Amino acid sequence: MNTLEEAVPGRGLRPHFRSLLERWDSTPRQGLPQFAGGQAAFLWRGPGEAFASLHLAAEAGLRDAWNVRRAHPGVAAPPGVRLPTAPGTIVRGFTISPDGTRIAALLSTSASELAETWILAAGTQPVHIPGATAWYAAPVWEPDGGGIWVLTGKPPCQQIMHCPLDAGHPQELPFPTDLGSTTGSRLSLTRARGNLRLAAKNPGTGTREWELESGAWHPTAAPAGGIRVELASDHHGTTVTLDSRPVYRLSPAEYVSSFAIQPHADGTDLWLQTASPERPSGVFCVDEPVRSNESSRDPSGNILHQRVTAVASDGVGIPLVISARASDLGPDGLPARPLPLILTCYGGFGVTHRTEAEPSVPAWLESGGVYVAAQLRGGGEMGRDWHEAGRGPRKMRTIQDLIDVAGFLTSAGWTTPGQTVPFGASHGGLVVTAAALLSPASFGGVVAVAPLLDTVDLHRHGLGKQWLHEFGADGECSDHDRAAYSPVHVVGGLGSAAALPPLLCCLLGRDERVDNRAAVEVVTGIRERGGRAWLLHEDRGGHSQRAAPDVLDFSAAVLAFAASISREATPGSEPCP
């Protein structure tokens, strides 16, 4: 990791946070298993490992083995065998073969999100499938295991390739004629009733699906019937139901990141992958009804999570999840005095924003801070209408929501404006930066990671064509409309930046989604106008999966910056030893 220009504030606090992060990151990370032929394939990252690796184990006994590990987190060895992968690569996705003996895996270097396709099996060398590159779209096996279907390329320039495994060359399969343009759509392949199924999800038109039968595409509806899994949230947490029967209860800051249904002779297993600050990744099989997840709490029982509603300036309630140490709160659930606070958000693309399931949260809380996840309009927390309320011509509403939430947290006694540091990544980086530019008195500092900072010229970004609908650049909004909150353009219109809160802009050097030059323009523009801004550059990182040691170094720098800002606002109150 290298800093550009002078050192970022808080450098002296980094060792403190790095040690806390290492301790909280010592628990192994599990991935949800895939089942076939009596076998299970899954990802696993042990303590000290940079990336997760693929493992294959017998399905029999896996449920008991993983549930025992959940009860005793110190069990560090994964069941089964580790599959060999191509040197220098990481796993971006995978699919188990119908007979359970092979894995079609997407492998890439850490520098690229576009992965190549390999066939993996225990005790054999990986086999490369030429020409089958993919952007997180896991391959689909033919029912007999003789070949795979791969959605190749980077959005929106993708195609479907059929790749036989025994002989022959990959062949392109044309898209359905009525699919039209793929710009803005998220494509995926699955298998249904033994046939290949294509889905195209577009935020403006919904999801359409086709099924390949006898060599031709036929429009089809989503499969009806089957076992239904639903999640219902309230202020106390989330209840998981299986065919309308409650089977599991999650704590307020815990969430289900994925699940799998596995039928067997004696019934049906529901596998859940859950995450929370206290347990960043855990996989287990639900084996009894309405079980409360008390084991997800901090072993000391000292971390508490509250679901709270902040009222925005237009009267709409904005959901928040507030995390703090019990020892920092009084009988009324509020701190005795305002505390340093990290405020996170995303607010775009219909994505649900939650409390981060990573060691930064408990490390910040253990040091005496408060951590808040704000579910702003533009996200997907409350359905399509919530997304639409912050999309296109209403994008400014998302930014105002963050400003309103900061004001609520101050008025409620959680913090002060000078101790409030909003943190956002990607689209969230746009929101926090724009909010600080438009309401500088609301915040003490700002952290933007891999931020999208030019919303006028979206085509300069690697995935900009996919984002036109989100910002109304497909006809709903003019360039002038988007320039009103585009940080590059807002900074360009400032006479002075001296009143702005300090900005830490974190760049991932191999980012394939956003243009880092926009962040350089913003930081340079602020500094030229008398403001305080810094670039923190992680040379080896990309927009997505990064090596664990790099993430810990990066997180320590971010937390140290936030603590330093808090010290400036209220000496003696910042999280630090």
Side-chain angles (χ1 to χ4, degrees):
M1 181 187 301
N2 298 312
T3 53
L4 302 182
E5 306 181 20
E6 67 233 37
V8 174
R11 180 174 292 273
L13 297 175
R14 292 186 191 180
H16 162 71
F17 285 109
R18 186 62 160 82
S19 64
L20 292 180
L21 292 165
E22 287 178 352
R23 176 159 55 83
W24 281 97
D25 193 52
S26 60
T27 303
R29 304 294 194 269
Q30 299 166 268
L32 194 72
Q34 295 182 21
F35 300 98
Q39 298 292 308
F42 57 91
L43 288 169
W44 180 284
R45 179 172 74 81
E49 295 180 336
F51 294 101
S53 54
L54 267 170
H55 292 256
L56 190 66
E59 179 181 349
L62 189 66
R63 177 177 64 180
D64 293 339
W66 277 15
N67 284 357
V68 165
R69 181 199 167 271
R70 182 171 177 80
H72 304 283
V75 179
V81 298
R82 178 172 177 168
L83 297 179
T85 55
T89 62
I90 62 176
V91 182
R92 300 289 187 183
F94 70 95
T95 310
I96 191 170
S97 65
D99 64 0
T101 63
R102 294 168 295 170
I103 305 296
L106 301 179
L107 306 180
S108 76
T109 66
S110 60
S112 176
E113 295 183 80
L114 192 62
E116 296 185 327
T117 305
W118 295 73
I119 304 299
L120 313 178
T124 64
Q125 291 299 308
V127 177
H128 180 232
I129 306 298
T133 60
W135 185 271
Y136 296 102
V140 176
W141 285 88
E142 291 184 314
D144 63 0
I148 56 175
W149 300 95
V150 182
L151 183 63
T152 68
K154 178 180 178 180
C157 300
Q158 295 176 285
Q159 59 185 0
I160 302 173
M161 300 294 293
H162 176 248
C163 305
L165 301 185
D166 52 356
H169 300 283
Q171 294 184 330
E172 180 182 354
L173 174 68
F175 285 122
T177 55
D178 55 338
L179 171 61
S181 173
T182 60
T183 299
S185 294
R186 178 176 296 180
L187 305 181
S188 62
L189 297 177
T190 55
R191 195 174 67 223
R193 302 192 302 269
N195 295 324
L196 183 68
R197 180 179 284 251
L198 169 69
K201 183 179 181 180
N202 188 293
T205 59
T207 300
R208 294 183 295 161
E209 298 192 4
W210 296 262
E211 201 166 292
L212 187 66
E213 292 185 89
S214 302
W217 290 109
H218 301 278
T220 183
I227 300 171
R228 294 185 60 186
V229 176
E230 296 180 325
L231 307 175
S233 298
D234 55 31
H235 273 65
H236 303 290
T238 301
T239 299
V240 182
T241 63
L242 182 66
D243 279 345
S244 301
R245 178 174 61 91
V247 294
Y248 195 76
R249 181 75 175 174
L250 291 86
S251 68
E254 187 182 22
Y255 59 91
V256 175
S257 51
S258 59
F259 66 87
I261 298 172
Q262 176 64 3
H264 54 81
D266 299 326
T268 300
D269 285 341
L270 173 61
W271 287 82
L272 297 177
Q273 181 178 22
T274 67
S276 73
E278 296 86 354
R279 184 183 296 276
S281 177
V283 176
F284 61 100
C285 183
V286 175
D287 53 7
E288 58 185 68
V290 199
R291 189 169 53 134
S292 179
N293 187 14
E294 295 300 327
S295 63
S296 74
R297 294 172 59 92
D298 166 32
S300 68
N302 193 33
I303 294 179
L304 298 179
H305 309 284
Q306 305 178 31
R307 290 184 183 266
V308 176
T309 300
V311 179
S313 53
D314 63 354
V316 174
I318 309 299
L320 311 177
V321 178
I322 302 179
S323 303
R325 292 186 303 186
S327 56
D328 290 327
L329 305 180
D332 59 355
L334 295 172
R337 58 183 174 83
L339 298 175
L341 186 144
I342 289 179
L343 173 59
T344 69
C345 68
Y346 191 79
F349 296 96
V351 172
T352 297
H353 177 67
R354 305 177 176 93
T355 305
E356 296 294 335
E358 53 141 58
S360 291
V361 182
W364 180 254
L365 301 185
E366 186 172 335
S367 297
V370 178
Y371 191 98
V372 179
Q375 299 178 334
L376 313 178
R377 277 171 281 189
E381 294 83 5
M382 289 186 281
R384 184 171 181 177
D385 289 346
W386 195 250
H387 175 209
E388 286 295 319
R391 185 200 63 78
R394 296 166 293 280
K395 185 60 66 179
M396 189 69 85
R397 182 67 256 176
T398 302
I399 298 163
Q400 185 61 48
D401 277 355
L402 182 67
I403 297 169
D404 293 341
V405 166
F408 166 83
L409 292 167
T410 294
S411 62
W414 285 99
T415 190
T416 64
Q419 293 174 288
T420 302
V421 179
F423 175 97
S426 193
H427 182 278
L430 160 68
V431 176
V432 299
T433 306
L437 291 172
L438 298 175
S439 183
S442 298
F443 311 103
V446 186
V447 177
V449 177
L452 169 63
L453 297 185
D454 185 349
T455 58
V456 175
D457 183 11
L458 290 171
H459 289 83
R460 68 184 293 181
H461 304 290
L463 287 184
K465 290 183 179 179
Q466 295 293 94
W467 304 337
L468 300 179
H469 181 72
E470 179 65 25
F471 296 100
D474 52 0
E476 286 184 284
C477 300
S478 67
D479 289 354
H480 180 267
D481 295 331
R482 298 193 303 283
Y485 59 82
S486 173
V488 165
H489 299 81
V490 175
V491 168
L494 293 177
S496 170
L500 295 180
L503 167 66
L504 176 61
C505 201
C506 307
L507 306 184
L508 305 176
R510 302 182 183 276
D511 199 322
E512 298 173 88
R513 304 189 191 189
V514 301
D515 183 1
N516 284 338
R517 293 173 300 173
V520 175
E521 292 173 29
V522 168
V523 169
T524 301
I526 290 175
R527 297 175 69 91
E528 290 175 346
R529 292 165 174 79
R532 302 170 64 196
W534 297 267
L535 291 170
L536 187 65
H537 196 108
E538 185 179 292
D539 293 325
R540 293 172 295 185
H543 201 92
S544 170
Q545 193 174 6
R546 294 142 65 201
D550 291 342
V551 173
L552 296 182
D553 287 340
F554 184 84
S555 298
V558 168
L559 294 180
F561 172 82
S564 175
I565 294 302
S566 176
R567 169 183 288 174
E568 292 181 13
T570 310
S573 69
E574 79 289 348
C576 66

